[in-house]
Amino acid sequence: LLIKFQEREGHVNVPHSFIEGDFKLGSWLRYQRQQKKKGKLDRNNEKRLDDVGVVWDILSEQWSEQWEKNYGLLVKFQQKEG
């Protein structure tokens, strides 16, 4: 189901409340992230999730993207204003 979501949406950042059919895909992915954080996720499963592009630390990823966006705005401002 995660692959199906990825093919349809172009990413695997499944919202926590997302349900695919009768399966709580978002909750399942959240649980996988929690297990990895605790060091309890099977390495084979972790690799499989890595291979489809799962972002493990969502907050870190979001902050990084926001920082890059803000930095780009700062550079444009500097170029315009000197």
Side-chain angles (χ1 to χ4, degrees):
L1 292 176
L2 186 61
I3 302 298
K4 182 178 176 181
F5 180 92
Q6 180 190 42
E7 289 171 351
R8 183 179 61 242
E9 303 295 330
H11 62 81
V12 290
N13 295 327
V14 182
H16 295 289
S17 61
F18 185 81
I19 298 173
E20 182 81 43
D22 292 333
F23 186 72
K24 296 179 179 179
L25 184 59
S27 295
W28 176 83
L29 185 55
R30 182 178 186 183
Y31 179 76
Q32 303 310 305
R33 288 182 173 120
Q34 290 169 344
Q35 292 300 101
K36 178 180 170 26
K37 189 174 184 178
K38 293 176 184 178
K40 295 182 178 182
L41 183 62
D42 178 81
R43 289 181 190 257
N44 183 48
N45 291 343
E46 181 180 342
K47 181 177 180 342
R48 291 172 66 193
L49 292 169
D50 278 337
D51 289 346
V52 297
V54 168
V55 175
W56 295 106
D57 188 349
I58 295 173
L59 291 178
S60 177
E61 181 76 13
Q62 288 171 343
W63 282 111
S64 178
E65 289 173 7
Q66 187 63 48
W67 190 93
E68 290 295 335
K69 180 180 176 183
N70 291 343
Y71 179 76
L73 293 172
L74 178 63
V75 168
K76 286 181 184 178
F77 176 82
Q78 190 271 336
Q79 290 170 345
K80 182 179 176 183
E81 302 295 328

